[in-house]
Amino acid sequence: MRQLIFIFSLIWVCGLQAQSIDSVFVSVPKKYLPLLEENERLNLLDLYNYKMKAETENSFGGRTLMVEKDSAYVELQLTEVSSWELKRLYNLVPDAEGNGWEFDPFYAVTHTITAGYKSSRIYFFDTEWRQIYPPFPLVRLDNFWVDNKELSIGRLDELKRILHTPSVYLHWDAKMSVLTYSVSLEALPLDDAKDAATCLHPIRYEWTGQSFVEIP
């Protein structure tokens, strides 16, 4: 119990010492958030922090909305067909003396596009915005699939053929280090989408400080 209390206390201290998520959001290289200049990002932050509708014109002449912000998270409705998320995570690494652990922050940037199907790309960076490659779970249709016993075997096989290479989209929990995978059904015919939805469940992974672990 004392060790657990120590770990949570250390996380809390790291949260206090870490750069604010507002500053991190402003510092994202334009390559990874090209639609928003610095002034537009600052406008969104000001409006959101004053509990106003946080919307601004982006570089393409459309509208970008800040949907949610927490101490380690930012979510944008970037355009009508795309969303964007920034999540701060921590690596749990040995301290310099080798007597304990310290928390090393890094960032995940997730970009989701709806073009028929919804699909996501995710990138990870250190605090200098150099791309890194933490262990990341790769999934297949079988990971999402649960047979619906009310459907015939033939119908289940048909749905599996339709979804044999599923389009997967990602979403971070605003308050926890939890990433949810879901299969996109938007482009399927209505009957297929309705039946497929009864056979699929989202998958959740939590970042533990060293790896992503699947959770119920």
Side-chain angles (χ1 to χ4, degrees), residues 200-214:
L200 298 167
H201 63 89
I203 308 169
R204 300 196 306 158
Y205 288 92
E206 183 171 17
W207 176 253
T208 65
Q210 296 177 322
S211 64
F212 282 97
V213 175
E214 188 174 352

Side-chain angles (χ1 to χ4, degrees), residues 87-132:
K87 183 72 175 180
R88 177 166 53 208
L89 304 166
Y90 291 96
N91 279 314
L92 187 63
V93 297
D95 64 21
E97 291 76 25
N99 298 322
W101 299 90
E102 60 185 20
F103 289 81
D104 182 28
F106 67 103
Y107 311 127
V109 170
T110 308
H111 190 197
T112 300
I113 296 176
T114 302
Y117 289 99
K118 291 172 68 174
S119 62
S120 298
R121 290 188 176 182
I122 189 167
Y123 306 89
F124 296 94
F125 304 93
D126 65 15
T127 55
E128 299 299 320
W129 294 104
R130 295 181 294 244
Q131 194 165 359
I132 58 175

Side-chain angles (χ1 to χ4, degrees), residues 54-75:
E55 188 176 45
T56 188
E57 184 175 353
N58 58 51
S59 300
F60 286 0
R63 307 297 294 178
T64 293
L65 175 71
M66 182 171 285
V67 178
E68 188 169 5
K69 182 169 74 73
D70 199 70
S71 59
Y73 178 75
V74 173
E75 180 184 2

Side-chain angles (χ1 to χ4, degrees), residues 25 28 32-33 74-76 78 83-86 109-111:
F25 172 62
V28 176
Y32 299 107
L33 188 52
V74 173
E75 180 184 2
L76 304 177
L78 199 56
S83 61
W84 185 94
E85 293 173 281
L86 168 67
V109 170
T110 308
H111 190 197

Side-chain angles (χ1 to χ4, degrees), residues 1-2 11 21-22 36 39 60 87 139 159 166 171 173 184 193 200 203 207 215:
M1 176 62 78
R2 288 182 179 179
I11 293 173
I21 199 64
D22 291 28
L36 295 177
N39 284 342
F60 286 0
K87 183 72 175 180
V139 298
L159 292 172
H171 181 66
D173 186 283
S184 174
L200 298 167
I203 308 169
W207 176 253
I215 59 176

Side-chain angles (χ1 to χ4, degrees), residues 14-43:
C14 285
L16 290 180
Q17 294 177 343
Q19 184 182 22
S20 76
I21 199 64
D22 291 28
S23 298
V24 176
F25 172 62
V26 173
S27 75
V28 176
K30 193 170 181 182
K31 177 180 179 180
Y32 299 107
L33 188 52
L35 267 64
L36 295 177
E37 302 289 347
E38 181 177 330
N39 284 342
E40 293 159 350
R41 301 182 198 189
L42 291 170
N43 286 340

